[in-house]
Amino acid sequence: MNIALFGSFMFAGVGAGLAFIPFNSMLQQRTPAEYTGRVFGTIGSLTSAAVILGPVAGGALVTASGPVPAFILSGTLTALLGVLLLMLRGKIERRDEAAIKREEGISATNNLELLGQTSL
């Protein structure tokens, strides 16, 4: 029993690593340098709040309804969140692409202005 429990925790840890590392890498790439501290501070605060409040809410849910309905509710909400994010994926990617093009346009304009200033 203890070996199975240890193995399941190890499996969950590997899964967390496969999720958190790409997430943090994406945040670093998409966050402007001047907002990095704010973004990572907010993510850290939300993660800490979830670690504290999650077991409390889960315990209350299991106490109120039992373990089976709690797992069904948790799984259903997770699946709905996944479907919602898949539906919004195209919109998010289009918004990101527009922001990149806008930044490239601003960068090109600034470079042309610098070239004009250096030629004087």
Side-chain angles (χ1 to χ4, degrees), residues 12-117:
V14 170
L18 293 174
F20 291 138
I21 293 170
F23 176 72
N24 283 326
S25 176
M26 179 204 60
L27 277 180
Q28 289 174 350
Q29 291 173 354
R30 292 182 174 206
T31 303
E34 60 270 11
Y35 293 113
T36 302
R38 292 179 195 176
V39 168
F40 280 94
T42 302
I43 296 297
S45 295
L46 292 174
T47 302
S48 296
V51 166
I52 293 168
L53 297 176
V56 173
L61 183 62
V62 168
T63 300
S65 64
V68 173
F71 275 105
I72 291 172
L73 178 65
S74 175
T76 302
L77 291 176
T78 301
L80 289 174
L81 181 62
V83 169
L84 176 68
L85 288 174
L86 284 174
M87 290 171 42
L88 293 174
R89 180 180 176 189
K91 183 178 180 179
I92 293 169
E93 288 176 349
R94 285 191 300 274
R95 185 193 65 198
D96 288 349
E97 289 171 4
I100 290 170
K101 288 179 183 177
R102 191 171 44 248
E103 286 179 17
E104 288 174 351
I106 290 171
S107 177
T109 303
N110 289 341
N111 288 340
L112 288 176
E113 289 174 0
L114 288 175
L115 287 174
Q117 290 175 358

